[in-house]
Amino acid sequence: MSDWKKVLKAANEYGAKNKADVLFFSGPINKGDDFDFIEICKNRSKRKNVLFILVTSGGDPHAAYRMACCLQQKYEWVSIFVPGWCKSAGTLIAIGAHEIIMTDLAEFGPIDVQRAKQDDLWESSSGLTEDAAIETLEKAAWKMFQNFIVQIKRISGGQITFKTAADAAAPMVAGALTPIFAQIDPLKIGENSRAMRIASDYGKRLNIRARNLRSPQRGMANLVSGYASHGFVIDRDEAGELFKN
């Protein structure tokens, strides 16, 4: 028996035992998928519970939110079955579930928003990229400032005061890093911050019904901005630290 047949067999057995409809979604979550999904739920809902098998690389957070809300509104108990990838927008849907079932190969990912790259139809960038760039530049600026002060004090044999050394170091750091900071678009930073807040607010709203996050505030903060990359693997053990069930 193939792995997928095993997954579907287990899902159907779960559905029969727990009086749950079984729904399956595989692929990126795009705008419009939410409307199709809501229509399917409306026509298919026969039992009070649902097992939603979800495999996705992520996608549109607005569509994901509507799909999760639909499950919460149509069913008393929502279970998410994750046999493999469930990234970004898929993780957002999982926050709306009362229970999460993961196989050995299952993995969630951070809910950082992907934005299309300018002048590139097929590439996207993570919302975490700009945050990481700014954090790196801030650390570089502080380290450079400290080094300049130390060198000025050392060369002067301690004759120059800290204030004078700091006054001299500040424009040196600014001169070195201003061209780099100038390449950062404040509008993109604002868009990034707004997109991250949208994902966070959606997650908090979904958790009000599901109540499955162990720590709603800290858990959402970690899922939105606490991981190093969009593809970061949140395996079953780590998911157990984020979710109750």
Side-chain angles (χ1 to χ4, degrees):
M1 185 182 294
S2 68
D3 289 341
W4 272 113
K5 286 184 177 179
K6 290 179 182 178
V7 168
L8 295 175
K9 181 175 182 292
N12 285 323
E13 288 175 354
Y14 176 97
K17 180 179 178 181
N18 294 278
K19 298 179 180 179
D21 287 337
V22 178
L23 301 175
F24 175 57
F25 184 97
S26 178
I29 300 171
N30 299 314
K31 292 180 180 178
D33 288 339
D34 48 333
F35 296 107
D36 294 337
F37 184 79
I38 290 170
E39 191 67 22
I40 289 172
C41 285
K42 183 177 69 175
N43 295 329
R44 289 284 301 278
S45 58
K46 299 176 181 178
R47 297 169 173 171
K48 63 179 182 179
N49 305 318
V50 65
L51 177 67
F52 184 32
I53 309 171
L54 180 59
V55 181
T56 181
S57 58
D60 183 73
H62 307 293
Y65 176 69
R66 283 173 54 84
M67 291 168 67
C69 285
C70 172
L71 292 173
Q72 289 184 338
Q73 292 162 3
K74 293 289 183 182
Y75 297 98
E76 295 180 11
W77 186 264
V78 179
S79 299
I80 296 286
F81 185 8
V82 183
W85 268 21
C86 187
K87 296 293 194 175
S88 193
T91 306
L92 183 62
I93 292 177
I95 292 173
H98 302 96
E99 175 188 38
I100 296 170
I101 303 165
M102 301 177 71
T103 68
D104 294 333
L105 299 177
E107 62 177 78
F108 288 115
I111 314 176
D112 64 309
V113 177
Q114 295 280 287
R115 298 200 315 271
K117 287 185 178 179
Q118 189 173 6
D119 297 327
D120 198 326
L121 291 176
W122 309 113
E123 294 292 331
S124 61
S125 63
S126 169
L128 297 175
T129 303
E130 286 85 358
D131 290 346
I134 292 175
E135 183 179 354
T136 299
L137 287 173
E138 287 176 345
K139 290 180 179 178
W142 177 240
K143 185 176 181 179
M144 190 180 295
F145 180 66
Q146 289 177 308
N147 288 339
F148 280 150
I149 291 176
V150 170
Q151 292 301 319
I152 291 171
K153 293 281 287 182
R154 184 183 62 81
I155 293 172
S156 71
Q159 296 300 308
I160 294 179
T161 65
F162 177 84
K163 181 180 183 305
T164 301
D167 289 342
M172 295 169 67
V173 174
L177 294 182
T178 292
I180 300 176
F181 273 101
Q183 297 181 47
I184 298 176
D185 187 345
L187 289 179
K188 287 186 177 180
I189 299 299
E191 291 173 359
N192 173 55
S193 176
R194 181 169 173 266
M196 297 298 232
R197 180 174 177 180
I198 287 171
S200 177
D201 287 350
Y202 278 159
K204 290 175 182 177
R205 282 166 169 76
L206 291 173
N207 189 62
I208 289 174
R209 284 194 178 186
R211 298 187 180 278
N212 198 18
L213 283 173
R214 291 189 182 278
S215 174
Q217 293 293 336
R218 187 171 69 251
M220 281 309 308
N222 285 338
L223 286 170
V224 170
S225 59
Y227 292 94
S229 71
H230 177 73
F232 201 97
V233 175
I234 301 175
D235 62 14
R236 185 166 56 192
D237 289 340
E238 188 158 357
E241 297 176 4
L242 292 167
F243 297 99
K244 297 175 184 176
N245 302 321

